[in-house]
Amino acid sequence: MTNKDARTPASVQDDMSQEAGKSIGWHKAYVEGSRPDLRVPVRQVHLTNGQSVTLYDTSGPYTDPLVDTDVRRGLPPFRENWIIARGDTEEYAGRPVRPEDDGIKHTSPRGGLRNLDAVFPGRPRQPRRGRSGQAVTQLAYARRGEITPEMEYVAVRENVSPEVVREEIAAGRAVLPANVNHPEIEPMIIGKRFLVKVNANIGNSAVTSSIEEEVEKMTWATHWGADTVMDLSTGRNIHTTREWVLRNSPVPIGTVPLYQALEKVDGRAEELTWEIYKDTVIEQAEQGVDYMTVHAGVRLPYVPLTANRKTGIVSRGGSIMAAWCLAHHKESFLYENFEELCEILAAYDVTYSLGDGLRPGSIADANDEAQFAELRTLGELNRIAKRFNVQTMIEGPGHVPMHKIKENIDLQQEICDEAPFYTLGPLTTDIAPAYDHITSGIGAAMIAWWGTAMLCYVTPKEHLGLPNRDDVKTGVITYKIAAHAADLAKGHPGAQEWDDALSDARFEFRWEDQFNLALDPDTAREFHDETLPAEPAKTAHFCSMCGPKFCSMKISQDIRREHGGSRGEIEEGMAQKSKEFAASGNRVYLPIAD
Amino acid sequence: MTNKDARTPASVQDDMSQEAGKSIGWHKAYVEGSRPDLRVPVRQVHLTNGQSVTLYDTSGPYTDPLVDTDVRRGLPPFRENWIIARGDTEEYAGRPVRPEDDGIKHTSPRGGLRNLDAVFPGRPRQPRRGRSGQAVTQLAYARRGEITPEMEYVAVRENVSPEVVREEIAAGRAVLPANVNHPEIEPMIIGKRFLVKVNANIGNSAVTSSIEEEVEKMTWATHWGADTVMDLSTGRNIHTTREWVLRNSPVPIGTVPLYQALEKVDGRAEELTWEIYKDTVIEQAEQGVDYMTVHAGVRLPYVPLTANRKTGIVSRGGSIMAAWCLAHHKESFLYENFEELCEILAAYDVTYSLGDGLRPGSIADANDEAQFAELRTLGELNRIAKRFNVQTMIEGPGHVPMHKIKENIDLQQEICDEAPFYTLGPLTTDIAPAYDHITSGIGAAMIAWWGTAMLCYVTPKEHLGLPNRDDVKTGVITYKIAAHAADLAKGHPGAQEWDDALSDARFEFRWEDQFNLALDPDTAREFHDETLPAEPAKTAHFCSMCGPKFCSMKISQDIRREHGGSRGEIEEGMAQKSKEFAASGNRVYLPIAD
């Protein structure tokens, strides 16, 4: 399966199952909550010693052989009953979908390019919103003391009490992004008291990509562990691509509505208006987008602060808004209309991701006046959003050298009342295009340890091109490493059990268990087989690094066997054991082949 | 060129030149010191704007088209005159090379396996050592106030004064590994006041690899930036492989003599003796090994401390010594004979790398009693080595979660009188076999920021197999990123110039400059071309991420053009500029293709 195959989205699912099937040694299981329709998926790894390890699972129904998935139909809307049961939302006719939603002008000669077959064929639905402008958000529920099924679901997932989940959401320290129009998702939570999360970006551009590639990247990203996915499409078929992605995504979907709004004015930033933007937000909220990046912190007075930067404004959203402010010499229409925007988001439970449009794009620009001026505005906007019961997280940089990272999270937590921080890396150096998953993985691990709640991945293609399927996988795996390293450093309860299980398997030469417990079992197995392909090597008590004649792990096992027990026993028994060891032939290792 | 090709070492060089030739846009240049034979190589990157950037270069004469290199002859021994001129060394007959040095027993039926063609055919030479046991070390010279040509060489390389180099070496805070029998190397320095260095491990094992592969990996590793290379061979032809590697290496070579000593006793740790070990050290010192890992800190009383660890002893050297102590119930022969060993090393200027045989092999074992007990002994041995004028660095872990990393470097610096710390990663989680270059790159960057002087790379094959050529490159690049990120965070003078040059190129759409300044120009170019292969795209003022219609960098350039200057001017001119901008057609970007 390559990216070059021209295929319909329908074929994605089969390939995914096949991929999943390759990873033997684990199966999808469910932990039941307090009600039969609350079943939380986990990845159950079966070890050869009869034990099993339970891991967090983001792969959705695709890895459950008992669920018959079909990307043309979409995932089952299992959360729908919970939403309906609350009785505070209503279905309504909704905004009609227009050709320009997909970038097609009635007058455009290019209208014919649109691939009508691509329209999502799944179940017809009407959008839903809060009755008479009610805030139907998890924040509103948490504040009035209600524990929703969504909260209980994430409590099971995170192995904490539902009350902890409710408290963190109520305090604004965590968000549970779950648009009432996206009932397909498996609820998840983003907050510093919980496991660090990873977002994967997908999306076409004017230059490249297709709908099926984007749907495939979404399922592929969640297969490897992405907790949320942002659809950053900027080319054709934006609306339709998003529909396919939303209906098939088991994780919350984020967008930057400004990108689509810009397409509607044919790329002319200065022609953007609050009305066009607002219409786009409603369009996306009706489709079910769970969180939206809003660059309302890019204010007119901050634009000149970027003039003497090394790399100016590198955020697309930030530069669109800067261009708009520049053209009209007016305050940002997002900033000016923020309260109205809050009312809209509250009606669908769309979560804010307040964008850092002025984030540094180079080491030289890190932590400068422009960046922190915007951060202070984000703190102000966060407080407004909370007044409207809108869940809010704050986006962060960018390019930041290691010694300036901590200041970012500390300031953000202070200024934004501990709202979840959601950072892109940060990249700790500019010198390694093609390896920015690594330059940024370093910064991501550190900032997550210090309190960032979600990390936006960076792929090897950053700065160079759009990620393909392999890049998406590399980006997700790198960021899962950063997130887990942070979970360990934060002392997250239970995080080390995974490391311990894998290290036990390593020490005991249980190669198959080591592979199955690995973040990427396929590649671990493949690398091992490159040097020692024979099947017996998988049960051999040695590996290719030392070979059969000498093995340090084996010696350690001998030491443990001889010295296991309390320190007293160990010291006492040493001389005796030494004699026995000599008597047994003085072999630290009996070669199995020579 | 693949690893599977069966080729003689002679062909390596040609391929390397070809590889080097692919990276256009830079050339090898030399900075002259105070004497004509002191020429320090640099990588001069030529930018399309007429400027150039000078980068540190480790690739040796292989990337100089004016030098006629031949791996069968070896590199020119350009440092020989400096050594002879000091007049404190003498040539002598040396220890005869024996078949068992290559793992061949006279009585062994397998003796015939040895490939005699593999014997290094280059210039015949006699070994050299300090006259009548004199310490001919850079430490001895530095202490008596002498600035050697080697010290001046590294001063030019590091862009500091020679006196700083001398002071740091004299204080034991830096080492300049340079065996008098390795005159081919381009001197380099390891210490926290200098650029963070990267070591790459190569070496065959009983299971795999050949001499030519190892020589190729060495040149390949230095091509991508390895500052030193350790030959960790454990299989056949250890002596001969090392000879080829040494005679062709432009960087210092490190070894673990214990590995070869163990081969001489056919893998039976308990049959090791001080005499066999000492003989092996002399054999390797005569060949020119620049630094040796010595696991003299694995003392008898510490062995039981590892019994209840999750992964016991994971260092090969550590477990050999533990097995020996266990078998004899005696104190380590390395610890007991450490002073005699110091005398030998001082006579050749071999630098100690005091091994951390009890380093943790899993997150669970990090910073435990066994590890720190050994560290305290290394502090003691460091002081003894200094008495004998032997340059000394200290090895560090291993597997350490982020929150426990700083304690490692802080304790090491305190206990070991600021001797250079040389760490393996550390790996910040155990869960990602096949990605341990990344799990460890995170820890490496952090510990280097906090003071580690040299990082031992980890490749994607760690825990799974021996690295091939691609793995070596990935490991080196990952660690160059970690090292440079640390140089930035430490505020190393001049480090940020590289980032700034690349970010300038990025901001100004000088794609070719961006590639040529990249740590890996080939891959950066390849990734860009995947999406936009056409030659015009390399000069285009956009990239595949946003496409031609909208580009944030372009908008930033507009802002700079309109608002460049002081804050006052900027604010003043804003309304005016806004009008002009509107008058000019309100285009934030004029599409070059649509």
Side-chain angles (χ1 to χ4, degrees):
Chain A
M1 180 166 168
T2 73
N3 281 288
K4 282 129 201 158
D5 295 346
R7 290 152 346 107
T8 63
S11 64
V12 171
Q13 171 222 350
D14 295 333
D15 284 316
M16 296 305 304
S17 318
Q18 248 184 318
E19 288 291 339
K22 272 207 307 204
S23 300
I24 49 164
W26 62 275
H27 86 285
K28 180 111 169 178
Y30 295 89
V31 180
E32 267 203 29
S34 65
R35 41 195 288 175
D37 65 345
L38 203 157
R39 298 169 69 238
V40 179
V42 292
R43 178 186 174 106
Q44 196 85 28
V45 183
H46 308 287
L47 307 183
T48 55
N49 65 2
Q51 295 172 346
S52 75
V53 176
T54 303
L55 302 177
Y56 194 100
D57 180 56
T58 59
S59 62
Y62 301 106
T63 47
D64 184 343
L66 300 179
V67 177
D68 174 31
T69 58
D70 176 351
V71 290
R72 305 185 69 82
R73 204 171 58 223
L75 293 177
F78 85 94
R79 204 169 58 93
E80 198 163 58
N81 290 337
W82 303 350
I83 296 163
I84 293 171
R86 284 195 275 266
D88 55 0
T89 56
E90 60 188 1
E91 285 189 317
Y92 68 108
R95 172 192 171 285
V97 178
R98 306 185 197 106
E100 56 264 41
D101 297 345
D102 273 327
I104 297 148
K105 293 246 145 80
H106 284 294
T107 54
S108 164
R110 295 169 304 177
L113 285 179
R114 186 183 182 183
N115 177 9
L116 288 174
D117 295 339
V119 171
F120 183 73
R123 76 196 155 85
R125 51 180 280 282
Q126 276 205 318
R128 177 180 293 280
R129 68 181 170 200
R131 284 186 202 280
S132 57
Q134 262 184 281
V136 294
T137 68
Q138 298 289 326
L139 174 56
Y141 306 142
R143 279 175 165 174
R144 52 180 198 243
E146 284 174 33
I147 290 173
T148 62
E150 287 88 345
M151 294 178 204
E152 186 193 335
Y153 191 102
V154 303
V156 173
R157 259 187 138 165
E158 301 270 348
N159 205 16
V160 297
S161 81
E163 181 54 24
V164 166
V165 172
R166 192 202 61 75
E167 270 173 23
E168 291 298 301
I169 295 173
R173 287 189 299 262
V175 296
L176 194 163
N179 185 324
V180 294
N181 291 306
H182 196 192
E184 297 90 348
I185 56 162
E186 297 170 348
M188 52 79 69
I189 193 160
I190 303 163
K192 63 183 172 183
R193 282 195 59 180
F194 306 99
L195 290 163
V196 174
K197 302 305 186 296
V198 171
N199 171 70
N201 290 335
I202 60 168
N204 67 3
S205 82
V207 175
T208 178
S209 297
S210 66
I211 293 178
E212 49 266 46
E213 275 179 53
E214 299 316 314
V215 174
E216 187 197 329
K217 280 185 205 163
M218 179 276 292
T219 46
W220 185 238
T222 56
H223 181 76
W224 290 109
D227 295 286
T228 72
V229 166
M230 288 194 81
D231 178 3
L232 303 183
S233 293
T234 59
R236 281 303 162 97
N237 295 327
I238 291 190
H239 181 97
T240 304
T241 302
R242 189 166 50 235
E243 189 67 23
W244 278 94
V245 167
L246 279 162
R247 300 288 77 81
N248 286 290
S249 173
V251 303
I253 296 294
T255 61
V256 185
L258 197 60
Y259 294 176
Q260 188 182 9
L262 186 74
E263 291 296 321
K264 291 180 182 174
V265 294
D266 210 22
R268 296 181 185 89
E270 72 287 355
E271 291 185 13
L272 282 168
T273 62
W274 164 241
E275 286 66 33
I276 290 169
Y277 183 84
K278 177 173 137 181
D279 175 65
T280 307
V281 166
I282 292 171
E283 171 191 348
Q284 298 195 5
E286 290 180 347
Q287 282 188 290
V289 169
D290 301 288
Y291 64 92
M292 296 183 188
T293 295
V294 178
H295 296 94
V298 181
R299 296 189 51 195
L300 177 68
Y302 306 156
V303 176
L305 299 181
T306 67
N308 293 317
R309 274 183 159 184
K310 187 154 286 288
T311 46
I313 301 177
V314 295
S315 148
R316 226 188 312 182
S319 57
I320 295 168
M321 290 313 299
W324 189 92
C325 294
L326 185 67
H328 298 279
H329 195 230
K330 267 192 180 166
E331 186 53 273
S332 152
F333 63 80
L334 292 177
Y335 182 77
E336 299 269 303
N337 295 283
F338 193 75
E339 298 202 350
E340 190 180 346
L341 192 55
C342 289
E343 283 172 5
I344 298 167
L345 266 52
Y348 302 91
D349 200 2
V350 174
T351 297
Y352 268 123
S353 185
L354 293 178
D356 57 336
L358 303 182
R359 67 169 174 268
S362 57
I363 291 298
D365 295 342
N367 295 19
D368 73 353
E369 203 183 338
Q371 184 194 336
F372 288 151
E374 181 186 34
L375 182 59
R376 281 186 292 273
T377 298
L378 299 187
E380 173 197 327
L381 297 174
N382 173 57
R383 277 187 290 276
I384 297 171
K386 296 292 165 61
R387 273 205 279 122
F388 288 84
N389 276 315
V390 180
Q391 305 190 80
T392 304
M393 52 186 175
I394 312 290
E395 295 187 8
H399 291 238
V400 185
M402 281 191 287
H403 63 300
K404 293 188 176 177
I405 290 177
K406 193 154 190 305
E407 186 181 5
N408 277 275
I409 172 79
D410 289 349
L411 263 184
Q412 183 274 338
Q413 287 288 292
E414 183 194 322
I415 291 172
C416 302
D417 308 328
E418 300 182 84
F421 205 22
Y422 167 31
T423 63
L424 179 75
L427 287 73
T428 55
T429 169
D430 305 339
I431 65 166
Y435 297 86
D436 279 327
H437 58 305
I438 297 176
T439 65
S440 68
I442 293 167
M446 293 169 72
I447 204 164
W449 166 28
W450 291 324
T452 283
M454 183 155 79
L455 301 168
C456 182
Y457 86 171
V458 171
T459 77
K461 288 283 167 59
E462 185 77 14
H463 299 118
L464 299 169
L466 285 179
N468 63 23
R469 197 168 176 272
D470 287 343
D471 300 320
V472 167
K473 177 177 169 183
T474 302
V476 171
I477 297 275
T478 302
Y479 272 68
K480 292 301 277 189
I481 289 170
H484 184 74
D487 289 336
L488 285 178
K490 287 163 72 176
H492 192 91
Q496 199 183 309
E497 281 168 28
W498 190 356
D499 299 73
D500 288 352
L502 196 140
S503 289
D504 281 337
R506 187 171 276 157
F507 187 67
E508 292 164 13
F509 296 101
R510 288 185 272 112
W511 287 99
E512 281 300 332
D513 292 348
Q514 194 182 149
F515 303 147
N516 288 325
L517 283 164
L519 207 42
D520 177 359
D522 302 348
T523 307
R525 189 176 280 111
E526 181 192 318
F527 281 4
H528 175 267
D529 289 0
E530 254 180 50
T531 329
L532 284 178
E535 206 44 46
K538 301 234 182 53
T539 50
H541 278 197
F542 68 93
C543 62
S544 57
M545 280 83 82
C546 298
K549 258 185 15 189
F550 179 78
C551 173
S552 62
M553 285 292 199
K554 184 64 179 54
I555 289 179
S556 290
Q557 291 189 350
D558 291 343
I559 293 169
R560 180 184 287 186
R561 204 161 26 246
E562 309 214 356
H563 294 296
S566 76
R567 184 69 45 77
E569 286 163 15
I570 291 168
E571 309 251 323
E572 245 176 70
M574 250 190 118
Q576 174 56 24
K577 293 290 180 188
S578 161
K579 280 179 213 154
E580 288 171 17
F581 185 68
S584 75
N586 269 6
R587 285 289 188 288
V588 294
Y589 189 69
L590 296 173
I592 68 162
D594 200 18
Chain B
M1 179 164 168
T2 72
N3 278 289
K4 281 131 201 155
D5 295 347
R7 288 149 352 106
T8 64
S11 63
V12 171
Q13 173 219 351
D14 295 333
D15 284 317
M16 295 305 303
S17 320
Q18 249 185 319
E19 289 290 339
K22 272 205 310 201
S23 298
I24 51 165
W26 63 275
H27 86 285
K28 181 111 172 179
Y30 295 89
V31 180
E32 266 202 30
S34 65
R35 43 195 287 175
D37 66 345
L38 202 157
R39 298 169 70 238
V40 179
V42 291
R43 178 187 173 105
Q44 197 84 28
V45 183
H46 307 288
L47 306 183
T48 55
N49 65 1
Q51 296 172 345
S52 75
V53 176
T54 302
L55 302 177
Y56 194 100
D57 179 53
T58 59
S59 61
Y62 301 106
T63 48
D64 184 343
L66 301 178
V67 177
D68 174 30
T69 58
D70 177 351
V71 290
R72 303 185 70 83
R73 203 171 58 225
L75 293 177
F78 86 95
R79 203 169 60 91
E80 198 163 57
N81 290 338
W82 303 351
I83 296 163
I84 292 171
R86 284 194 276 265
D88 56 358
T89 55
E90 62 188 359
E91 286 189 318
Y92 68 107
R95 172 192 172 285
V97 177
R98 306 187 196 107
E100 56 264 41
D101 297 346
D102 272 329
I104 296 149
K105 291 249 145 82
H106 284 293
T107 53
S108 165
R110 294 168 306 174
L113 285 180
R114 187 182 182 184
N115 176 12
L116 289 174
D117 295 339
V119 171
F120 183 72
R123 76 194 157 86
R125 52 180 282 282
Q126 276 204 317
R128 179 178 291 281
R129 68 181 170 200
R131 283 187 203 280
S132 59
Q134 262 184 282
V136 294
T137 67
Q138 299 288 326
L139 174 57
Y141 306 142
R143 278 176 165 174
R144 52 180 197 243
E146 285 173 32
I147 289 173
T148 60
E150 286 88 344
M151 293 177 204
E152 186 192 336
Y153 191 103
V154 303
V156 173
R157 259 187 139 166
E158 301 271 348
N159 206 17
V160 297
S161 82
E163 182 53 25
V164 166
V165 171
R166 191 201 62 74
E167 269 173 23
E168 292 298 300
I169 294 173
R173 287 190 297 265
V175 295
L176 193 164
N179 185 323
V180 295
N181 292 306
H182 196 192
E184 296 90 349
I185 56 161
E186 298 171 348
M188 52 78 70
I189 194 161
I190 302 164
K192 63 183 172 183
R193 282 196 57 181
F194 305 100
L195 291 163
V196 175
K197 302 304 186 297
V198 171
N199 171 70
N201 291 335
I202 60 167
N204 67 6
S205 82
V207 173
T208 180
S209 299
S210 66
I211 292 178
E212 50 263 47
E213 275 180 53
E214 299 316 314
V215 174
E216 188 198 329
K217 279 184 207 165
M218 179 276 292
T219 46
W220 185 239
T222 57
H223 181 77
W224 290 109
D227 295 286
T228 72
V229 166
M230 289 194 80
D231 177 2
L232 302 183
S233 292
T234 59
R236 280 302 161 100
N237 296 327
I238 290 190
H239 181 98
T240 304
T241 302
R242 190 165 51 235
E243 189 67 24
W244 279 93
V245 168
L246 279 162
R247 300 288 73 81
N248 286 291
S249 173
V251 303
I253 297 295
T255 60
V256 186
L258 197 60
Y259 293 177
Q260 188 182 8
L262 186 73
E263 291 296 321
K264 291 181 183 175
V265 294
D266 209 22
R268 295 182 187 88
E270 73 287 356
E271 289 186 13
L272 283 167
T273 63
W274 164 241
E275 286 67 33
I276 291 169
Y277 183 83
K278 177 173 137 182
D279 175 66
T280 306
V281 167
I282 292 171
E283 170 191 348
Q284 299 195 6
E286 290 180 348
Q287 283 187 290
V289 169
D290 300 288
Y291 65 90
M292 296 184 187
T293 295
V294 178
H295 296 94
V298 180
R299 295 190 51 195
L300 177 68
Y302 306 156
V303 177
L305 300 180
T306 68
N308 292 317
R309 275 181 157 185
K310 188 154 288 286
T311 46
I313 301 176
V314 294
S315 148
R316 227 187 312 181
S319 58
I320 294 168
M321 290 313 299
W324 189 91
C325 293
L326 184 67
H328 298 279
H329 196 228
K330 267 191 179 167
E331 185 54 273
S332 152
F333 62 83
L334 293 176
Y335 182 78
E336 298 269 302
N337 296 283
F338 192 74
E339 296 201 351
E340 190 179 346
L341 191 57
C342 288
E343 283 171 5
I344 297 167
L345 266 53
Y348 301 91
D349 200 2
V350 174
T351 297
Y352 269 123
S353 185
L354 294 178
D356 58 334
L358 303 183
R359 68 170 173 269
S362 57
I363 291 298
D365 294 342
N367 295 18
D368 72 353
E369 203 184 339
Q371 184 193 337
F372 287 151
E374 181 186 33
L375 181 59
R376 280 186 292 274
T377 298
L378 299 186
E380 174 197 326
L381 297 174
N382 173 57
R383 277 188 290 275
I384 296 171
K386 296 293 164 58
R387 272 206 279 121
F388 287 84
N389 277 314
V390 180
Q391 304 190 81
T392 304
M393 53 187 173
I394 312 290
E395 296 186 8
H399 291 238
V400 185
M402 282 191 286
H403 63 301
K404 293 188 175 176
I405 289 177
K406 195 155 189 304
E407 186 181 5
N408 278 273
I409 172 79
D410 289 349
L411 262 183
Q412 183 273 338
Q413 288 287 291
E414 184 195 321
I415 291 172
C416 302
D417 307 327
E418 299 182 83
F421 205 22
Y422 167 32
T423 62
L424 178 77
L427 288 72
T428 55
T429 168
D430 306 338
I431 64 166
Y435 297 85
D436 279 326
H437 57 306
I438 297 175
T439 65
S440 68
I442 294 166
M446 293 170 72
I447 203 162
W449 167 27
W450 291 325
T452 283
M454 183 156 78
L455 301 168
C456 181
Y457 86 171
V458 171
T459 77
K461 288 282 166 61
E462 185 76 13
H463 297 119
L464 299 169
L466 284 180
N468 63 23
R469 198 167 176 272
D470 288 343
D471 300 320
V472 166
K473 177 176 170 185
T474 303
V476 170
I477 298 274
T478 302
Y479 271 69
K480 294 299 278 188
I481 289 170
H484 184 74
D487 289 336
L488 286 178
K490 286 162 74 175
H492 193 90
Q496 200 184 308
E497 282 168 28
W498 190 357
D499 299 73
D500 289 351
L502 196 140
S503 288
D504 280 339
R506 187 171 276 157
F507 187 66
E508 291 163 13
F509 296 102
R510 289 184 273 113
W511 287 99
E512 280 299 333
D513 293 348
Q514 194 183 148
F515 302 148
N516 288 324
L517 284 163
L519 205 44
D520 176 0
D522 303 348
T523 306
R525 189 176 279 110
E526 182 193 318
F527 281 3
H528 175 267
D529 290 1
E530 253 179 52
T531 327
L532 283 178
E535 206 44 44
K538 301 235 179 51
T539 51
H541 279 197
F542 67 92
C543 62
S544 58
M545 281 83 82
C546 298
K549 260 186 10 190
F550 179 77
C551 173
S552 61
M553 286 290 198
K554 185 66 180 54
I555 289 179
S556 290
Q557 292 189 350
D558 292 342
I559 293 169
R560 180 184 287 186
R561 203 161 28 245
E562 310 215 357
H563 294 295
S566 75
R567 184 69 46 76
E569 287 163 14
I570 291 167
E571 308 251 324
E572 246 175 69
M574 249 190 122
Q576 174 56 26
K577 294 290 180 188
S578 160
K579 280 178 212 151
E580 288 170 21
F581 186 69
S584 75
N586 268 6
R587 284 293 188 286
V588 295
Y589 189 70
L590 296 172
I592 69 163
D594 201 18

